[in-house]
Amino acid sequence: MDGVEGIRYYDVYRREGGYRSVEKALKTMSPDQVTEEVKKSGLRGRGGAGFPTGMKWSFIAKPDGVPRHLVCNADESEPGTFKDRYLMEFIPHLLIEGLIVSSYALGSNVTYIYIRGEYAWIIDILESAIEEARNAGWLGRNIQGSGFDCEIYVHRGAGAYICGEETALIESLEGKRGNPRIKPPFPAVKGAWERPTVVNNVETIAAVVPILNIGGEEYAKIGIGKSTGTKLISSCGNINKPGVYEIDMTISVEEFIYSGEYCGGIPNGKRLKACIPGGSSVPILPANLLLKTAKGDTRMMTYESLADGGFPKGSMMGSGGFIVLDEDQCIVRHTFTLARFYRHESCGQCSPCREGTGWMEKILYNIENGKGKSNDIDLLWDIQRKIEGNTICPLGDAAAWPVAAAIRHFRDEFEWHVQNPQECVKRNFGLGHYAEPLQTATA
Amino acid sequence: MAEEKKPLKVTIDNITIEVEQGTTILNAARRIGGDVAPPAMCYYSKLKNSGGKCRTCLVEVEAGSTVDPRPMPKLVASCRTNVMDGMIVKNITSEKVIDARNGVVEFLLINHPLDCPICDQAGECDLQNLSYDHGKEGTRYEFNRRTFEKYDLGPFIQLHMTRCIMCFRCVYTADQLTEKRVHGILDRGDHVEIATYIQKSLDHDFIGNVIDVCPVGALTDKTFRFKNRVWFLNPVDAHRDCPKCKGKATLWYRGDEVFRVTARKDQWGEVEDWICNECRFETKKTSDWIIEGPTKIDRHSVIAQGHYVGVQKPQEVLYDVLGGRKPKLLMNIHNVSEVNEPGRDLSKIEGPAHSTDFENE
Ligand SMILES: Cc1cc2nc3c(=O)[nH]c(=O)nc-3n(C[C@H](O)[C@H](O)[C@H](O)COP(=O)(O)O)c2cc1C
Ligand code: SF4
Ligand code: SF4
Ligand code: FES
C-alpha cells in the first residue's frame, strides 16, 4: 500500500480499503475471536523476541473492574533498526487501525503509543492521523455504534534505548525513570499503573490488520514453518540499496543481499565479510555461516533458519535490522562502536551490566587503538560471560552477545590488533575474511 | 483459604525446610542460616520493592516446583523470587552460582575506590565482607576508577558517591520513611549517581537512617566522620523515651564517651527499628539514655575485638583434644610474657593493646 500517493491521509487510506478490519471486528466478532484469529495466524512479535502474539494476548489477566491497557512500542532505538519509522511515517493509519482492533481484542479503552523522542516529526504525523480517525468516528466513545470505547494517546520518550524494554517503557509511561522492572510480576498481570498491560511492537500491531482482513489461516500460509506472514527488514551498511523492505519469509539471505529487488548487492565490487541480521544486539555472522548454515543448508530469512546453529553458529531474526559489512570493515572497530552504545544506554540498575559494559568498552577501545594486551581478549570473553544471563533485563545480554560473537568468529582479527599495534591504528580493515556470492543468487 | 495457608517445602543446598507462601528464596535460606543464606547487598527486608539490583544473591533453581520440576534457565535473584512447593535451590553448592557471584563482586569492585583505610564504614562494610568471601586478591581492571565530588546532604549526612554501589536502599528509605524525597538517581549506566537535584539538603526527622542502610561508606554520619574506627568502639544497647521514634538505639563508646548513635541491627545487618535524627545526632550523653547492656556482635566481625566484656575464660581443652597426650613445649613463652594471664580484664584496655599496657598492675 505504501506505493499509493497520499496514503498517509485518511481519505486515501480509507478509499484503499482502510479500517475494514475494524468494521469486521466490531460488527461481527467477539474480542476472543479476534485473539483466536491472531493465534491462528502464527504471528510472532516483531519487536525482537519473536514471542507468539496471540499467545501473549491470551495471557493478559482480566480481573473484574480493573482497566487493561495496550501499549504500542514505537521506541525503535536498536542500532540498525528503522522499520517502524517508515511504517508510521508513510502509513500511520495502518498502525492506528491495528491498534483499534487489538485494543478491542484486549479490552483496552485507553491505548498508548510510546514513541522515541527523536521521532519528533512522526509524532505530528501520528497525532494528525489520530485526529482524522477520531473525526471519522473510529476513535472515541461507542465506535461505529458497537459500544466499544477507545482512545489512543501518543507518549513521547526522552531518548533512552532502555525505554524500549517493555517494563522500562511502562515505568517511563507512568512518568518515572525508565528502569526495567524486576519480573515477575509480568506486565500481563501488573503493567502500567499496576493494570494488566500488553506491550507490542508497531509492526506486530500493523500485521493484525491484514490478519483480520484475510483471516488468520490464510496469513499463516505465507512464509515457512513458524515464520508466518511478512516481515519488514531495514537494511543498511555496505549494500547498494539500503532501506526498508517487506519480505515474505520465503527468501534466502543470499537473495536478500544480492537481489536487485532488495539490497542490490555490495557496492564497488567488494566482497561480503559479515552481517548482523537482526539489529545490533544479535550475534554477528561471518559470511561463510551467513549464506549457509553449519549443516550446509541455505540460510533463509526466517526466524528458525537465522537461529539455526544456536549462538555458536547462528544468530537471530531480532528486530529485523540487517547490517551488512564488506571486506573493508574492521570487526574490532565495529564491536567497539556497539560496546560504546550499550555502555551509554545501560540504565545502571544492576551491577553486571552497569560496570561490565563500561569495562568492555574500555578494553575494546584499547585494542582498537593499538594499546591492547594479549590477555585482553580472554578477559573480554570472561566479562561478557559474567554479564550474560545475570542481569535484570535483556540489555545485559544484548551487550554481551555482540562481543561474544565477534570474538568467537573473528578472534584472529582481535589477535592481529594486539600483535600489530602500530599497523592496526593505520588501517581500519580486518584480515580479509570474505565470501563470494554463491552461484544460486539471482541478480 | 485453607489451601493458601499450606506451608511450602523448599530444599536449599540439600537442606529441606518448610516456609509460608510468599516467602522468597533468600528469606527461606536465612531461616536455615549460615553460609546457605546468599549475600544481599541491595535487598532490605524493611524496604518495600528493594532488591533485585546488585545480583549478589543469585542462586540456581534446579527444580521449579513439584508441579513443574523443570530447572530455571537462568540464575535468579533469590531476594525477589518466591519459593514454590518442592523447589530445589542451589546456592553455595552450585559452581555456576559461585562463578557468577565472583563476577558480580568483581564488577562491584572495579570502580570502587578501595579507600577502606580512610573510610568510616570499614569494619562494618558489607562490601568489605563480601570481597573477603568472594573477591580476588588482585584486580584485572586497569583503568581509572570513576570518581565524584563529595558533598553534604544537609547538616548531618555526607555523600561520597565514589563509594556507592547503587543499591537504591537510601532512595527507598527516603521514599518510604519521609514525605518528600529530595534525592534520587541521576543519569544512567556507569555514570549513574545518587544526588539531589540542586544541592538540596536532606532534612527530615528520619533521614539519618539512610546512613544505616547504606551497605558501604557512601553515606556517612557527619557527627562521627573521622572521629574513630568502629572496631575501637564498644557498642552498647540503650533506650530513651523519645517522642518521635521508639528510642531503641546502639551507643558506640570509647571509654566513657559516646562517639555515635545508630539504630540497632539484626544478624543480617538490617535496622530493627528506625531511629530519629534527634536520637542519632543530638543525644550523645550517657545520661540521656537507659543502658541495657552490650550489643551482641557476631564474633566474625572485627567489631567483636573491642568487645571482651563477659567473655568466659576458655576451658583448657588442648590436653583433651590431644587424646591425653601432653603437648611438648620447648619455649615456655606463656610464663615469660604473662600476656595470656587469665585474670586480666582486656576490656579495660582502651584501643589496641600495647605491651606497655601489661607492665604495671
Ligand atoms: C534494551 C531493549 C530495548 C528494546 N527496544 C525495543 C524497541 O525499541 N521496540 C520494540 O518494539 N521492542 C523493543 N524491545 C523488546 C520489548 O521489550 C518487547 O519485547 C517488545 O516490545 C514486545 O513486542 P512484540 O511482542 O510485538 O515483539 C526492547 C527490549 C530490550 C531488552
Ligand atoms: S541489564 Fe542493564 S539496562 Fe537492564 S536493568 Fe540491568 S543495568 Fe539496567
Ligand atoms: S548511597 Fe549507599 S544506600 Fe544509597 S545507593 Fe549508594 S550504596 Fe546504596
Ligand atoms: S540482594 Fe538480591 S539482587 Fe541484591
Side-chain angles (χ1 to χ4, degrees), chain B residues 26 39-44 51-58 77-80 169:
Chain B
L26 181 85
M41 299 293 288
C42 67
Y43 169 77
Y44 212 75
K53 314 225 191 276
C54 70
R55 319 305 284 175
T56 55
C57 72
L58 292 174
S78 60
C79 64
R80 292 291 292 257
R169 283 180 186 173

Side-chain angles (χ1 to χ4, degrees), chain A residues 162 180 345-351 353-354 391-397:
Chain A
I162 191 59
E345 296 296 341
S346 160
C347 84
Q349 257 193 119
C350 54
S351 344
C353 170
R354 176 184 64 239
T391 55
I392 296 176
C393 86
L395 189 139
D397 302 340

